Amino acid sequence: MTTSSPPFPSFVLLLLVLLALTVNANGETRSHHKVNISSLLPRKVCSNSKDVISDVTRLRLVHRHGPCSPAMRRRQSDFHAEILARDQLRVGFLRQRIAAAELGGGGGTSPASAGAAPSTKIPARSGESVSAGDYIVTVGLGTPPTAQTLFVDTGSDVTWVQCRPCAISCHRQLDQLFAPASSATYANVTCASAACADLDVSGCSGGTCLYGVAYGDGSQSVGFYSSDALALTPADVVPRFLFGCGQDNEGLFGRAAGILGLGGGRPSLVAQTMNKYNGVFGYCLPASASDAGYLAFGKSGITNPTVKYTNMLTDAKTPTFYFLNLTGISVSGQRLSILPAVFAKAGTLIDSGTVITRLPPAAYTSLRSAFRQGMSRYKNKRAPAVSILDTCYDPTGRGELKLPAVALQFAGDVSVNLAPEGIVYAVNRSRICLAFAANDGDGDVGILGNVQQRTFGVIYDVPKKVIGFAAGGC
């Protein structure tokens, strides 16, 4: 057991991370959804999620702003502006990482360069939001396990938590700070280890490996790279799990303890548990913030009879990200006249942390036009735009809406028919908006955001290089 760490370096480690027809589940053609407006809005109480399947590791996953969340703020304000503003920062950060990788910039920094000033940094203050998404799970870390509430992020590799003694800075969190000295299985990772070399950003202090991660809003975590027991559930423990023990943490919002990294890179939980779970994980994002979904690992209990698989595309230059081949969009049962090349130019990644799906400008314009046509009965109920959402309606006085059905087509003849909660974003009872946005240019990567993934069982099988969508997952 290693319970002491070398003095934390006085310099701040730089954190420059590289950046067909619409049918329902029964197979019948569907052109519209009749949806009760109240079902699009979160309730004040938490609904029960589906029972946990006994033969699969399944964690309860909730939206941080909803009543199911242990980290929900007591004073609920209009947080949608915050969510959408943070979403823009994350999207910009993802673009920067991908662009830097394409140019061969790598995006990391060597220990020798630690101490130089970053060229660009968005200021972050403790208590502000980190661009890591809106869904959280609670795990146990250490022996005996200490509960830690973490953001789930498929766009990050390194898992990290705030650790005592917090030599520089820690934000306020829901759980007690993880105390390495209190764990019988904690150990520091050495600078000479292969695990240290796998980090995009690393340093060394007294022979102990240092990690550094940064996010799109300027948030950061720096500390000792370590290992300890990770209890995904009380009965399912990952021994010697590699994670960051944060000593300088700035910008995380929502009282969470850190990040659970589910990306495709070597430091991620997915890669570390390849032998245990065979590189298979999945999740279901609930229909609203007042419902609970799940995060699951392993093949048992994840596969679903309704699952449709499409190819998972990866890029050696950006191994963290999961890409797929979006080929078309249908609205009201009619496929839009968008050439597949429009989507293929920059590609499309699937991301749990991005909220609103981003499309190439031409694709978004076509979708918006068709959606507005399908909503023509409400043309006198148009409402002002909200941030990046430019097609909004005021349903005040109505009990239900008739929404045009929207389906996304992927390679392999896979059509994903979005749930109503995945078509529109409910800001409040008087503002319902189309939950898509346009990229700035044709060369910007498309992103399948978490709103469009709601209610689906989304399954990642990394060795087989496929991503599956199962309707009615939660």
Side-chain angles (χ1 to χ4, degrees), residues 300-375:
S300 299
I302 292 183
T303 37
N304 184 300
T306 67
V307 67
K308 302 174 182 178
Y309 285 102
T310 187
N311 290 338
M312 173 193 294
L313 308 178
T314 56
D315 185 345
K317 296 178 181 179
T318 52
T320 300
F321 302 132
Y322 303 102
F323 294 86
L324 30 65
N325 187 3
L326 179 63
T327 59
I329 303 174
S330 294
V331 177
S332 299
Q334 300 297 317
R335 184 153 179 161
L336 303 180
S337 299
I338 308 170
L339 294 175
V342 171
F343 301 105
K345 182 172 183 179
T348 304
L349 68 88
I350 180 172
D351 183 39
S352 68
T354 298
V355 180
I356 302 299
T357 287
R358 302 311 202 277
L359 296 172
Y364 176 71
T365 298
S366 182
L367 167 63
R368 180 179 62 185
S369 177
F371 182 81
R372 288 178 175 176
Q373 180 62 34
M375 294 286 285

Side-chain angles (χ1 to χ4, degrees), residues 71 87 214 390 445 469:
D87 203 38
D390 64 8
V445 65
F469 297 91

Side-chain angles (χ1 to χ4, degrees), residues 20-34:
L21 288 178
T22 303
V23 294
N24 63 19
N26 297 320
E28 57 186 291
T29 302
R30 165 171 268 178
S31 62
H32 286 79
H33 297 280
K34 284 187 177 180

Side-chain angles (χ1 to χ4, degrees), residues 89-136:
L89 291 172
R90 180 178 179 90
V91 169
F93 184 55
L94 294 177
R95 291 173 183 166
Q96 291 172 10
R97 288 186 63 182
I98 293 171
E102 290 299 319
L103 293 173
T109 177
S110 66
S113 67
S119 57
T120 302
K121 183 175 179 180
I122 302 171
R125 297 184 300 274
S126 182
E128 288 189 335
S129 56
V130 67
S131 297
D134 292 303
Y135 295 94
I136 58 177

Side-chain angles (χ1 to χ4, degrees), residues 11-14 108-117 200-204 210:
F11 62 81
V12 176
L13 180 66
L14 290 187
T109 177
S110 66
S113 67
D200 287 334
V201 180
S202 63
C204 192
L210 303 176

